[in-house]
């Protein structure tokens, strides 16, 4: 689900959902949409009916069907938010009620989608638990590139523009991953409860095995705040059109089992945008529906801000516990957070690029006769201003994220330095013990030496002995010299011979050492000459 394959996220790629190692000869030949019958042009033939190169093999490879909701208990529901021509939002009670998709009567949904709304500037469709037939209907009705659905269903960040028609409109897509804080009290699916319990078990005294590793795409448990940070997604596709009531935003929402932002939740937030005095003035000042698209992106920023605030509090808690305790599991948690922070930095950079994309992609419909030169100029200026406001907030989040990263690094360095200090203390303690043993040996060494001397069986000490002290000294010195000679000879690296010298040459090391320039001859040459 979370493993991003960015090469498949934009229609500019000439080989959609094709791996270089795959055998292209096995793929079915693409079918030209123009040759299809009228029946195949209906929604059941999507995407191949509209995009001929999307053959069966590619559809299987991108998991367009597999990743759609299949559980019959999960009802696909479509929510609406309507923006009137005046720029005000239609009240929720006056908007079309949510549509519960009945898979036994799909033709009703298809007929409903054919109805062209009137008196609207923009309609927002938010889809919960996307079913494959609903995907096909939306794709056919609004002529959507399959890349929007594949990037959304596979959680691949993307941003692109397509179907650009001068003075008419275009299609823009933004699939954005962000981080959101969720309380433990929020009901989560059993699979997530299992993961949370496992994470708390690890915090209580079990360390990660090397096989487990650190998976940065999973949620991060903040035990001090009783929250966890999970990865959420905004998947938006907008059809911008100069035709009356022709502009539409489609928002995809993952299955309910992932505990992500639901369509109902985002619908309520979008509805509240119309209650904002600041944004209402913008909608009245400009007829460009792209401002609603931009307002929805602010949801990601709010989620980021809350998440980083909780993460910073948790980092302070960790730092305090590291100073007061010597819990090794805190080090494991700190390293996990460091890996997560690197991932968060890449997600935040994607967020910045998405807002920049919206800023640099003006609505082609602004060139139509509906907009005067003055209103067109004011709209572009206002769009740049609002995008810059959002980019400024993202930069602030980036600075905050860097502060948290620096704090995590400093805490990890402190833990490592304290561990090194403990090792140094243990080494010094061992050295002191060895020194005490050496002192004891030195105390008994003279007595041992005298005892050995008096125990020698030589004539000078014991009358009637057969050996003499001179013979003992001769044999001892001989074997000492022989031992030193063999020890040096068996060493491959020694100051008495050159490195890499063969064994037989090393046996002659006393002679070669004396004869080399570093030996005795060099020492003799260095002596000053005294005139007699």
């Amino acid at each position: 689900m979370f493993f991003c394959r960015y090469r498949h996220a934009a229609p500019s790629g000439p080989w959609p959902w094709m791996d270089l190692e795959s055998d292209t000869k096995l793929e079915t030949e693409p079918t030209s949409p123009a040759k299809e019958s009228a029946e195949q042009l209906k929604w059941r033939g999507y995407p191949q009916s509209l995009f001929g190169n999307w053959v069966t093999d590619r559809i299987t490879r991108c998991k367009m069907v597999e990743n759609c909701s299949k559980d019959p208990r999960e009802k696909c529901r479509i929510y609406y938010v309507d923006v009137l021509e005046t720029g005000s939002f239609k009240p929720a009670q006056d908007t079309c009620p949510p549509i519960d998709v009945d898979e036994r009567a799909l033709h009703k949904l298809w007929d409903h989608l054919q109805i062209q709304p009137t008196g609207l500037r923009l309609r927002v469709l938010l889809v919960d638990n996307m079913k494959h037939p609903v995907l096909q209907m939306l794709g056919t009705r609004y002529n959507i590139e399959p890349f929007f659905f594949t990037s959304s269903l596979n959680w691949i960040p993307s941003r692109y523009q397509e179907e650009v028609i001068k003075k008419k409109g275009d299609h823009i897509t933004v699939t954005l991953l962000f981080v959101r804080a969720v309380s433990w009290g929020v009901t989560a699916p059993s699979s997530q409860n299992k993961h949370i319990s496992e994470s708390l078990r690890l915090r209580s005294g079990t360390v990660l095995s090397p096989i487990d590793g650190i998976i940065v795409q999973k949620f991060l448990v903040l035990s001090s705040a009783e929250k966890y940070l999970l990865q959420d997604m905004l998947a938006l596709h907008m059809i911008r059109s100069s035709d009356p009531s022709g502009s539409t935003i489609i928002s995809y929402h993952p299955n309910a089992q992932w505990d992500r932002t639901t369509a109902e939740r985002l619908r309520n937030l979008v509805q509240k945008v119309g209650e904002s005095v600041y944004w209402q003035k913008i909608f009245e000042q400009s007829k460009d529906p792209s401002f609603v698209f931009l307002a929805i992106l602010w949801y990601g920023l709010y989620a980021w801000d809350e998440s980083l605030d909780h993460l910073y509090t948790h980092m302070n808690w960790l730092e305090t516990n590291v100073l007061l305790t010597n819990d090794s599991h805190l080090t494991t948690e700190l390293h996990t957070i460091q890996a997560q922070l690197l991932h968060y930095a890449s997600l935040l950079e994607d967020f910045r690029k998405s807002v920049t994309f919206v800023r640099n992609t003006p609505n082609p419909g602004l060139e139509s006769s509906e907009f005067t030169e003055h209103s067109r100029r004011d709209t572009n200026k206002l769009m740049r201003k609002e995008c810059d406001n959002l980019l400024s907030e993202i930069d602030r989040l980036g600075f905050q994220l860097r502060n948290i990263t620096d704090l995590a690094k400093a805490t990890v360095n402190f833990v490592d330095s304290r561990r090194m200090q403990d090792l140094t203390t243990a080494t010094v303690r061992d050295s002191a013990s060895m020194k005490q043993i050496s002192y004891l040996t030195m105390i008994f060494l003279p007595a041992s030496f005298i005892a050995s001397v008096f125990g020698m069986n030589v004539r000078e000490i014991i009358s009637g002995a057969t050996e003499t002290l001179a013979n003992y000294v001769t044999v001892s010195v001989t074997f000492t010299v022989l031992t030193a000679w063999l020890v040096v000879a068996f060493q491959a690296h020694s100051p008495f011979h050159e490195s890499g010298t063969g064994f037989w040459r090393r046996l002659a090391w006393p002679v070669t050492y004396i004869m080399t320039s570093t030996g005795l001859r060099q020492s003799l040459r260095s002596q000053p000459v005294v005139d007699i």
Side-chain angles (χ1 to χ4, degrees), residues 259-501:
D259 192 27
R260 299 315 196 258
T261 302
T262 62
E264 182 180 11
R265 170 63 175 161
L266 190 60
R267 189 276 307 268
N268 294 335
L269 292 174
V270 174
Q271 195 74 45
K272 289 182 179 298
V273 173
E275 301 174 6
S276 169
V277 176
Y278 182 88
W279 282 94
Q280 190 59 47
K281 291 180 178 179
I282 293 176
F283 300 144
E284 293 174 357
Q285 184 177 349
S286 174
K287 296 181 180 180
D288 187 1
S290 304
F291 285 101
V292 179
F293 190 93
L294 180 63
I296 297 176
L297 295 182
W298 274 87
Y299 173 64
L301 185 126
Y302 272 62
W304 269 112
D305 201 14
E306 291 181 1
S307 300
L308 294 183
D309 185 39
H310 292 305
L311 182 57
Y312 183 73
T313 303
H314 183 65
M315 282 300 306
N316 288 329
W317 177 84
L318 276 178
E319 186 180 27
T320 302
N321 281 270
V322 165
L323 294 174
L324 299 178
T325 65
N326 196 20
D327 188 357
S328 60
H329 301 99
L330 294 178
T331 307
T332 303
E333 185 172 357
L334 285 170
H335 283 289
T336 302
I337 291 177
Q338 274 192 312
Q340 292 280 4
L341 290 173
L342 294 175
H343 180 59
Y344 292 167
S346 65
L347 295 183
L348 198 59
E349 178 63 16
D350 278 332
F351 191 9
R352 186 189 64 79
K353 290 180 179 178
S354 297
V355 178
T356 303
F357 165 76
V358 175
R359 182 183 187 274
N360 298 334
T361 312
N363 184 1
L366 296 177
E367 303 294 332
S368 66
S369 57
E370 184 180 352
F371 291 85
T372 64
E373 182 64 28
H374 178 72
S375 63
R376 186 182 306 116
R377 184 171 59 253
D378 289 345
T379 296
N380 289 331
K381 181 179 179 180
L382 186 59
M383 177 60 72
R384 288 193 297 268
K385 173 179 173 292
E386 293 306 318
C387 287
D388 288 341
N389 289 340
L390 184 52
L391 288 172
S392 176
E393 291 297 315
I394 295 175
D395 291 339
R396 177 183 60 80
L397 292 178
F399 180 76
Q400 185 177 355
L401 183 61
R402 286 191 295 272
N403 286 342
I404 297 175
T405 304
D406 293 340
L407 178 60
K409 289 180 180 179
T411 308
V412 170
N413 291 337
F414 174 79
V415 173
D416 293 340
S417 63
R418 187 169 64 181
R419 185 168 298 174
M420 291 300 299
Q421 183 180 3
D422 293 341
L423 292 175
T424 304
T425 303
T427 303
V428 172
R429 190 184 306 115
D430 294 341
S431 300
S433 300
M434 294 301 297
K435 187 179 295 185
Q436 293 174 359
I437 295 174
S438 301
Y439 289 156
L440 291 174
T441 304
M442 291 175 63
I443 293 174
F444 291 101
L445 184 60
S448 299
F449 174 73
I450 297 300
S452 300
V453 170
F454 280 102
M456 294 174 63
N457 189 20
V458 293
R459 295 175 185 174
E460 288 79 357
I461 299 177
I462 301 176
S463 61
T466 57
E467 294 296 334
T468 63
L469 187 60
N471 291 340
Y472 167 76
V473 173
T474 302
V475 174
S476 298
V477 171
T478 301
F479 274 93
T480 302
V481 172
L482 179 61
T483 301
W485 173 54
L486 292 177
V487 168
V488 174
F490 277 101
Q491 289 181 346
H493 303 281
S494 174
F496 296 98
H497 56 74
E498 296 180 0
S499 179
T501 306

Side-chain angles (χ1 to χ4, degrees), residues 516-530:
T516 55
S517 58
T518 59
L520 180 60
R521 187 171 60 183
Q522 181 68 21
S523 300
L524 293 175
R525 288 179 179 178
S526 62
Q527 294 296 329
V529 179
V530 180

Side-chain angles (χ1 to χ4, degrees), residues 187-216:
T187 303
S190 58
S191 61
Q192 286 200 2
N193 283 328
K194 178 180 178 182
H195 290 314
I196 294 175
S197 301
E198 181 68 13
S199 298
L200 294 177
R201 181 182 67 82
L202 294 175
R203 278 285 299 114
S204 62
T206 306
V207 298
L208 286 171
S209 67
I211 300 178
D212 295 333
I214 298 175
I215 303 178
V216 295

